[in-house]
Amino acid sequence: MKFLNIRYILLLIMITYYCGTYGQRQEILSNMISYTFKGDSEVDIVDYDFDLKLYKKPLKNKKGFFGIGLTSSYTMLDYDIAIPSENELERFYDFGIAFSHLRVWNKRWSSMVVLRPQLSSNFTSEITYDDFNPSALFLLNYSKNRQKNRLSFGLAYSANNAIGVPIVPVLSYWKKINERAEMTLGFPETSLAYKFSPKTTITSLIKFDGFNYNISENFKIQEEVVDYISYTELKIGLELKQKLLNIMNVKLLTGYTLARNLELVDESLDKVHAFDMKSNFNISLGIGINIDGKKKRSKE
């Protein structure tokens, strides 16, 4: 079943990624591998994600920062059926640069601007404009107490937005319930986290995930042109986050996919061909390096 417009889901995934990365996370490097057990599905999918913070400069009087980072993804597809094309549809890549600027205006208000040019494709021919998928985000953040809550709202831009307009509104809310628990409300992820100890956190969550890649050499299926390959999934799960050696975080997420869609689509993201994808158990493993942990360790 096609539960929501694919491009809209992917746009919101990007929005939540930025809100989480620059609002809460302090990792300078993270690496994640995700796999859903294939079962009777026609396609097996493995995802690798890599995120590196290259540069971060505090603003004057510590009123924010300017940062530069690199992001990349690698998706590997293994088909159990004859694919409807002679094209290379097994390996897809995403490479991006993220420029971020956080400005604290007073005790309650701050703003965030993120620019992210990126290339997303199987890169089987020379790079074209179709491989380029820039995005941008502008947020205003309001908080009575920055350590306890935050309401974020603003605008997001995506060059390949199929909902009719390239700019859409953004809204998210984060709250620290007590010294051990916090929650995030929004789409594509809603979660509740509980800290059992300073080094161990368990998070229950429900979230959308997915990808959208350009196909370098377009082809036809029954006279319809295929431009992109798109995947979406809705999953629930539990994530264990364990801090090691004061500088490293290990994350293990186990869950179940409630719905999955893998489609070959045209330029407007209308379905041309859909693969049979079954729901099954999902597992993700990630490692993060924390710069604050390094500083603390050096003082000990």
Side-chain angles (χ1 to χ4, degrees), residues 197-211:
S197 72
K199 294 187 176 182
T200 304
T201 302
I202 296 289
T203 303
S204 61
L205 57 85
I206 179 169
K207 66 180 293 186
F208 283 95
D209 207 349
F211 56 73

Side-chain angles (χ1 to χ4, degrees), residues 168-179:
V168 297
V170 181
L171 182 66
S172 67
Y173 180 70
W174 169 82
K175 179 178 177 59
K176 185 174 182 179
I177 300 173
N178 53 44
E179 291 303 315

